[in-house]
Amino acid sequence: MDYRKGLVVRPSHKVKLGSIDPGFKGSGEDKASAEAKTARLVEKLGDLQYLLYAENRRSLLICLQGLDAAGKDGTIRHVMTGMNPQGTRVHAFKVPSTLEASHDFLWRIHAQAPARGEVVVFNRSHYEDVLVARVHSLVPKKVWSKRYDVINEFENDLVEAGTVILKFFLHISKDEQLRRFKQRLDDPKRRWKISEADYSERKSWPDYVKAYEEALSRTSTDAAPWFVVPADHKWFRNLAIAQIIRDTLDSLGMKTPAPTVDIAEIKRKYHSAAED
């Protein structure tokens, strides 16, 4: 299955998350074969990231969004593991600092955008300002409602400057979220990740669904598409995202840049004597 086509949110399409099964696991996929495919994709991603870095013409921005326990950290750990840290960076956006809050909402985002040749993953992103800010009324509606157009303009500017943007909403069910919370409670090594707020936020689930539906509907463009990735099965989530990133980078037709020196002359001057 081509997940770039099957999971993409078409521009101007009205998203209804209730009609998308978070437990979907592809056509004929099973955990063992999917994990084997993902391993091969991750290896290929390392090669493609090397080309992106070497070309130094474009960059890749990956935005990961999802409700708590949807798997943002797990996606980074399993999908991005094959990339060279020298050309890859992850930035997690948390509650804005006093300095960040004193600027416009995109100020801290723009500072973390990828440079040419770089892959940057946003663990949460500028979309928090039309999600959390909306659900918890951190700013009035007349403020957050204008941000969709601002976000589209911002992302278009990045694309015009050579950045490829992929945005993934990790679609998890409410029951699966609760099960993962329970796993964290039962695992001494992961208990640090759980908080009372994780449970209290579940009361706002319907509001978050509405906020996500509007954000996905209004900000998925040809230049910066959203993909709704069913995330109840971690192995399928990893496979779908890895395939989408691989196919997108593959489509760029990247090549190793030509050398900037005369290779024959360098060999003649510095290696011919040693070979003799």
Side-chain angles (χ1 to χ4, degrees):
M1 180 177 179
D2 183 349
Y3 296 120
R4 279 206 299 175
K5 294 180 180 178
L7 302 181
V8 72
V9 176
R10 299 187 305 276
S12 302
H13 175 72
K14 296 294 183 182
V15 176
K16 291 296 181 183
L17 292 175
S19 67
I20 302 173
D21 179 11
F24 176 73
K25 47 187 176 181
S27 177
E29 298 288 359
D30 62 76
K31 183 177 180 180
S33 64
E35 289 179 343
K37 290 178 184 178
T38 301
R40 293 192 294 271
L41 288 167
V42 167
E43 184 176 359
K44 178 64 175 176
L45 286 178
D47 297 335
L48 290 166
Q49 184 251 332
Y50 173 80
L51 287 176
L52 184 80
Y53 182 81
E55 267 199 343
N56 198 37
R57 292 176 49 217
R58 290 165 284 205
S59 59
L60 174 63
L61 174 60
I62 298 169
C63 296
L64 298 178
Q65 288 286 159
L67 292 162
D68 292 330
K72 296 179 290 296
D73 292 344
T75 298
I76 293 168
R77 185 168 63 254
H78 291 287
V79 176
M80 310 305 295
T81 185
M83 294 191 177
N84 188 335
Q86 186 172 347
T88 311
R89 180 164 51 87
V90 176
H91 189 85
F93 288 96
K94 300 184 183 299
V95 177
S97 66
T98 301
L99 176 62
E100 290 169 339
S102 67
H103 290 79
D104 71 275
F105 79 101
L106 287 175
W107 180 79
R108 65 175 183 159
I109 309 297
H110 214 152
Q112 299 299 332
R116 284 192 298 273
E118 189 177 35
V119 176
V120 170
V121 182
F122 283 175
N123 186 342
R124 300 189 187 274
S125 66
H126 40 300
Y127 285 94
E128 294 296 291
D129 290 286
V130 290
L131 296 167
V132 176
R134 168 179 172 164
V135 170
H136 291 292
S137 301
L138 302 182
V139 295
K141 181 177 180 178
K142 66 179 181 180
V143 174
W144 61 254
S145 63
K146 296 177 181 178
R147 289 177 173 172
Y148 303 105
D149 292 336
V150 175
I151 287 172
N152 285 335
E153 291 176 8
F154 166 68
E155 292 179 351
N156 188 62
D157 286 345
L158 291 182
V159 171
E160 288 292 322
T163 299
V164 177
I165 302 177
L166 297 173
K167 301 176 295 191
F168 299 99
F169 169 62
L170 309 185
H171 183 33
I172 190 175
S173 66
K174 197 172 183 180
D175 287 344
E176 177 63 14
Q177 184 195 60
L178 188 62
R179 189 183 72 82
R180 292 183 187 180
F181 284 171
K182 177 66 162 51
Q183 285 181 329
R184 291 178 181 180
L185 287 176
D186 293 341
D187 184 352
K189 293 182 179 179
R190 300 174 67 209
R191 287 173 182 166
W192 66 271
K193 297 186 74 174
I194 205 76
S195 69
E196 187 71 31
D198 292 330
Y199 288 92
S200 62
E201 279 289 86
R202 285 171 58 82
K203 299 175 183 177
S204 300
W205 189 280
D207 296 325
Y208 273 110
V209 168
K210 290 180 182 178
Y212 267 110
E213 287 177 340
E214 184 164 8
L216 295 168
S217 301
R218 294 186 61 178
T219 63
S220 190
T221 64
D222 288 329
W226 273 107
F227 299 89
V228 177
V229 180
D232 275 7
H233 298 284
K234 298 176 183 179
W235 54 265
F236 175 75
R237 174 202 72 203
N238 296 337
L239 172 64
I241 292 176
Q243 187 197 94
I244 291 168
I245 299 172
R246 188 278 310 273
D247 290 349
T248 300
L249 289 176
D250 241 352
S251 71
L252 299 179
M254 298 180 292
K255 297 180 180 179
T256 305
T260 57
V261 297
D262 186 331
I263 299 298
E265 179 64 12
I266 293 290
K267 286 184 175 181
R268 185 190 66 79
K269 289 176 64 176
Y270 299 105
H271 295 280
S272 57
E275 290 172 358
D276 292 341

